Amino acid sequence: MADRYALITGASSGIGAEFARQLAAQGVHLALVARNEERLNALRAEIRATFPVAVEVLPADLSEESGMAGVVTFIQALPGLDYLINNAGFGTTDLFAESDIDRQLRMVAVHVNATLRLCRAALPRMIERGSGAIINVASVSAFGPTPHSPTYSASKAALVNFSRGLQSELRGTGVRVQALCPGFTRTHFHDGEEFKGFRQERLPDFMWLRADGVVRDSLRALRLGGPVVVVPGWFYRLAVTFIQTPVGRFLLEAVSG
Ligand SMILES: NC(=O)c1ccc[n+]([C@@H]2O[C@H](COP(=O)([O-])OP(=O)(O)OC[C@H]3O[C@@H](n4cnc5c(N)ncnc54)[C@H](OP(=O)(O)O)[C@@H]3O)[C@@H](O)[C@H]2O)c1
């Protein structure tokens, strides 16, 4: 089998690091992108100790034009990518009217601008080769209004709609697109200063997903030719289905004020 390559953003932690482990286990060579070079190198060492794959570390801040441009240049120099996983992301919890607007705009840049730039860089080769997969990591928050993080849910909704439209454009090319929409997942996402008021232990266990399960569901759906929008876990699949019904939409509007 020919060598396969994946580029994963936000690979220094959580869901991105898990994509790296599971793809390495399938013999896929990796390029890992995030800001924290030390953590990327540690993951590289862990993977290289277990799997015979090449691992390239690409430190980059995807909220900066220069960071995005560096990754674009790297992709364009490759013979092709089999997987592009746009996973880097973060959340905020303050009210929008009181928020640091630069941080909100950096979130849009990491979630949306970087995803668009990297997809645009990777797609011509994927189309030419008639294969490849793009996974855009969105969130269940894409499906409803979320007070205290409207920028987050809006940028994730953009990723879901972008992925749907892009997959329609790519019909018949052999290239597949997935919008992966996890609910609460145990990663470092909620660990920062930003989330100090968020009491994780108040959420029941069944609402917490594991990163390895989220990634397994995503890769399984790709393998089986599943839908564009993938929601891991029975609880969140039910919730997303319900909030898209008229009663669900009404209740959601009512509880979110
Ligand atoms: N955990 C959840 O409950 C949950 C639920 C739904 C969706 N998600 C989504 O899942 C994705 C992965 O998050 P996670 O849960 O795995 O959280 P995480 O453990 O905090 O990982 C986030 C990753 O994004 C990277 N990142 C953040 N800002 C970046 C920037 N400016 N430039 C480059 N990389 C950046 C981080 O790396 P550096 O800090 O090293 O840059 C890290 O590798 C995110 O898109 C998140 O929105 C998470």
Side-chain angles (χ1 to χ4, degrees):
M1 186 191 281
D3 282 351
R4 290 174 299 155
Y5 294 86
L7 185 137
I8 306 167
T9 71
S12 63
S13 168
I15 294 170
E18 196 50 42
F19 266 114
R21 292 187 187 98
Q22 292 191 25
L23 287 172
Q26 297 178 23
V28 178
H29 304 299
L30 304 170
L32 308 177
V33 181
R35 290 164 302 180
N36 191 318
E37 189 171 0
E38 203 178 315
R39 277 198 274 159
L40 290 177
N41 281 326
L43 180 62
R44 176 182 191 277
E46 176 200 317
I47 288 173
R48 294 280 296 129
T50 322
F51 306 109
V53 295
V55 183
E56 185 96 29
V57 160
L58 288 179
D61 184 341
L62 295 174
S63 69
E64 303 275 349
E65 184 52 37
S66 59
M68 285 188 248
V71 183
V72 165
T73 305
F74 178 85
I75 291 174
Q76 287 169 339
L78 290 173
L81 269 179
D82 297 279
Y83 299 89
L84 168 64
I85 303 180
N86 291 302
N87 160 79
F90 65 95
T92 55
T93 55
D94 38 7
L95 294 171
F96 183 76
E98 298 166 6
S99 66
D100 170 356
I101 187 61
D102 289 335
R103 191 155 162 74
Q104 300 294 309
L105 293 173
R106 274 200 298 280
M107 186 192 299
V108 175
V110 174
H111 293 172
V112 183
N113 299 15
T115 297
L116 268 54
R117 294 283 305 268
L118 304 195
C119 286
R120 180 64 185 84
L123 273 168
R125 282 280 157 73
M126 287 183 170
I127 294 168
E128 196 180 295
R129 297 182 349 157
S131 69
I134 293 174
I135 299 173
N136 296 323
V137 181
S139 164
V140 289
S141 71
F143 299 99
T146 46
H148 288 275
S149 49
T151 309
Y152 184 82
S153 57
S155 58
K156 294 300 190 179
L159 289 182
V160 170
N161 280 332
F162 171 68
S163 304
R164 283 183 167 135
L166 186 60
Q167 182 67 94
S168 302
E169 281 188 10
L170 293 169
R171 194 166 294 133
T173 63
V175 181
R176 283 158 312 147
V177 185
Q178 180 185 101
L180 175 63
C181 299
F184 287 109
T185 306
R186 291 200 195 278
T187 63
H188 290 301
F189 188 87
H190 301 99
D191 291 351
E193 186 61 11
E194 202 68 70
F195 285 89
K196 64 180 184 303
F198 174 63
R199 305 266 304 278
Q200 300 189 26
E201 69 283 359
R202 290 179 71 171
L203 284 182
D205 255 3
F206 69 83
M207 287 185 73
W208 283 105
L209 303 172
R210 289 169 46 125
D212 58 346
V214 167
V215 171
R216 243 190 310 279
D217 283 6
S218 164
L219 295 177
R220 186 187 307 119
L222 260 192
R223 216 172 33 247
L224 299 177
V228 175
V229 178
V230 171
V231 180
W234 65 266
F235 171 75
Y236 290 105
R237 274 195 293 279
L238 268 180
V240 166
T241 305
F242 178 66
I243 61 180
Q244 291 181 99
T245 64
V247 177
R249 269 200 297 276
F250 173 78
L251 287 176
L252 193 65
E253 293 288 341
V255 294
S256 54

